[in-house]
Amino acid sequence: LCVTVLGLLMQVLRDAAMIRMGVSERLIGCSEESSRRLGAAFSERKLSALCEICEKYIAAVNGNSNLTLCLNAVCADIRLCI
């Protein structure tokens, strides 16, 4: 479930970056409205950093890291990023 949620979040963040760059016809995420709001709120750099955080923790969870520690760490990393 954690990997699925992080994957969906990453898609929304990717769409937000695309919208910010003016490319909105190729959206892949589950919430266009959320992507538009995030695109308006964050710079491309922050959106990219947030995607990297998602990728990092997807890999960690898939690598059998402690799920509880990963969830706490991903929340902390996201909070520090924004």
Side-chain angles (χ1 to χ4, degrees):
L1 182 63
C2 179
V3 170
T4 302
V5 171
L6 287 173
L8 291 171
L9 176 59
M10 195 164 61
Q11 288 179 354
V12 170
L13 292 167
R14 179 252 181 215
D15 285 353
M18 296 297 285
I19 289 168
R20 184 138 184 106
M21 293 185 300
V23 183
S24 61
E25 62 272 354
R26 302 196 77 194
L27 303 180
I28 60 172
C30 59
S31 178
E32 184 175 342
E33 180 184 347
S34 295
S35 295
R36 291 194 184 285
R37 286 183 175 189
L38 288 168
F42 296 114
S43 68
E44 289 174 41
R45 185 175 179 187
K46 280 195 178 189
L47 292 167
S48 177
L50 289 166
C51 281
E52 289 175 10
I53 289 169
C54 291
E55 286 178 338
K56 173 183 171 183
Y57 287 102
I58 287 172
V61 170
N62 285 335
N64 293 322
S65 292
N66 182 299
L67 185 58
T68 302
L69 292 177
C70 281
L71 289 173
N72 286 322
V74 75
C75 291
D77 282 357
I78 289 172
R79 181 65 188 120
L80 287 173
C81 185
I82 60 171

